[in-house]
Amino acid sequence: MTAETNRTPPARRAGGARGVRGGGQPPRDRGVPGGRPPGPTRPTQPAQRLLTAAEELFGERSYHRTTVADICARAGMATGSFYSYFGSKAEIFAAVVRAINTDLRRSMRGALDRADGGQRANERASFRAYFDLLSRRPWIERIVRESEFIDPALFREYYEHLTRGYARGVRAAQLAREVDARYDPEVIAFAYTGIGNFVGMRWAEWTAGATVPEDVLDDILELLRRGLPPQAPEAPEAPEGPQTSPAGRQA
């Protein structure tokens, strides 16, 4: 495999944006620090073209090296049209980050719906969905990492939305005794996120046209299996009745 650190992403369809201007529903999670009121979940076609162009350019060049004029040129639109849909470059950047988050969670939900069931099958399906999305759009994690410095509240919001779903899945597995209940589900959720980010970065982002191999995913799952074993069954209670001493006499 050929290492690659800076490639130009091809044009791809970005997911539904939450930062598009206009009417919309109030945010579901108002307690998220730095949360911003989202717009429609399905942007109009011109707005979607702008989002797609912005994602490509932010991933290719970075936020600071991309201008509104660059985004409009990539989208094939006049610069003045941009402000009919987004108020600023910062606003479309936030919409891109939220669209990535939405796409990722949607992909994982779909994978879980198709999984055979059980915590290990769910873990495999979730990781595989994340790695496959990163293989198709390897620049998305660069955009998310950059958001920490462009808009720290947006960066935190991204991971809190993502790990909240992970934690719910872990808690369900604990109730089913598939994961030891002594562990805090939030801790496990952030550990999952860190594993996914760095393994995905190594094999899907740094390597041209590659995906995370199945044997690497097998190693991840084995690591989790050894580190997060099923909860041990409770020891059966001792039967009631007279006890016998080591010498064979009743106590």
Side-chain angles (χ1 to χ4, degrees), residues 57-117:
L57 290 168
F58 291 144
E60 173 188 341
R61 302 180 184 178
S62 79
Y63 176 83
H64 291 296
R65 295 173 62 191
T66 299
T67 66
V68 168
D70 293 334
I71 295 170
C72 292
R74 179 68 65 90
M77 298 171 58
T79 303
S81 301
F82 177 90
Y83 297 99
S84 298
Y85 304 98
F86 300 95
S88 63
K89 184 174 74 167
E91 187 174 317
I92 196 171
F93 181 80
V96 166
V97 172
R98 290 193 176 102
I100 291 169
N101 187 277
T102 297
D103 287 352
L104 177 56
R105 289 185 290 117
R106 184 183 294 125
S107 294
M108 289 194 294
R109 280 197 302 270
L112 289 173
D113 288 343
R114 297 186 297 272
D116 294 334

Side-chain angles (χ1 to χ4, degrees), residues 197-209:
N197 283 354
F198 281 93
V199 171
M201 182 172 63
R202 161 62 181 84
W203 273 275
E205 185 182 346
W206 291 357
T207 307

Side-chain angles (χ1 to χ4, degrees), residues 107-250:
S107 294
M108 289 194 294
R109 280 197 302 270
L112 289 173
D113 288 343
R114 297 186 297 272
D116 294 334
Q119 177 63 9
R120 296 314 176 200
N122 289 341
E123 287 169 350
R124 178 178 288 276
S126 296
F127 278 117
R128 186 78 271 165
Y130 169 72
F131 294 147
D132 288 348
L133 183 65
L134 190 58
S135 293
R136 295 191 299 271
R137 294 154 62 186
W139 55 87
I140 59 176
E141 277 300 318
R142 293 200 294 272
I143 295 172
V144 174
R145 291 195 298 269
E146 190 177 24
S147 73
E148 181 180 8
F149 306 99
I150 305 303
D151 188 342
L154 177 68
F155 177 79
R156 178 173 174 177
E157 175 192 319
Y158 177 94
Y159 282 108
E160 287 184 338
H161 274 71
L162 191 61
T163 55
R164 190 176 296 126
Y166 281 173
R168 285 195 296 266
V170 171
R171 182 55 182 157
Q174 289 175 328
L175 292 173
R177 306 183 69 82
E178 294 179 322
V179 170
D180 197 319
R182 291 174 298 177
Y183 298 105
D184 184 335
E186 186 178 11
V187 172
I188 298 174
F190 274 93
Y192 281 172
T193 302
I195 292 170
N197 283 354
F198 281 93
V199 171
M201 182 172 63
R202 161 62 181 84
W203 273 275
E205 185 182 346
W206 291 357
T207 307
T211 188
V212 176
E214 282 299 312
D215 62 327
V216 173
L217 182 51
D218 289 341
D219 284 348
I220 293 172
L221 297 174
E222 181 65 12
L223 175 66
L224 294 175
R225 186 186 70 81
R226 292 177 180 274
L228 294 174
Q231 185 170 344
E234 297 179 0
E237 296 182 1
E240 296 182 359
Q243 302 296 314
T244 302
S245 69
R249 299 187 301 275
Q250 289 187 346

